[in-house]
Amino acid sequence: RMSRHAKKLRDHDINPCLAETDATTKCMDDNNYKKDMCTDYFLKYKNCRKFWHGIMMQRKRNGVKPEMPSAEERKKILESV
């Protein structure tokens, strides 16, 4: 059984970097946990987190709720960039 925290991390509306998380995990699994083999994946994940954190902070400053856009909203935001 998954903890509430683990469920949140698997929720597309809460975690905008789910695909990057999964790709990084798969790379680590496939490469016997040699981090240097997965540098690109870590970078993509880091960039994803940085991007959405910026959006979240902007929304927080502007009083927009929820602070993290839903998966559907995020899709539109990404299309406009």
Side-chain angles (χ1 to χ4, degrees):
R1 219 182 86 130
M2 261 198 278
S3 71
R4 203 176 307 152
H5 180 70
K7 274 193 184 121
K8 266 187 180 177
L9 293 178
R10 299 297 314 159
D11 185 333
H12 282 281
D13 280 328
I14 294 170
N15 182 356
C17 301
L18 200 52
E20 290 79 0
T21 303
D22 290 347
T24 304
T25 303
K26 185 182 181 328
C27 179
M28 289 292 280
D29 288 344
D30 293 349
N31 290 288
N32 207 19
Y33 294 88
K34 292 190 184 108
K35 270 188 174 176
D36 56 328
M37 300 290 286
C38 302
T39 310
D40 288 348
Y41 292 95
F42 283 112
L43 198 59
K44 282 179 189 161
Y45 172 77
K46 191 174 162 190
N47 288 336
C48 178
R49 297 295 303 170
K50 196 191 289 183
F51 177 80
W52 289 112
H53 181 74
I55 299 277
M56 218 169 80
M57 292 291 97
Q58 192 179 355
R59 285 169 67 105
K60 194 176 198 169
R61 277 193 299 275
N62 298 338
V64 179
K65 294 278 182 194
E67 288 157 7
M68 178 54 72
S70 69
E72 196 53 45
E73 267 185 281
R74 288 196 310 267
K75 206 165 123 185
K76 289 176 184 145
I77 291 169
L78 287 174
E79 283 166 3
S80 74
V81 191

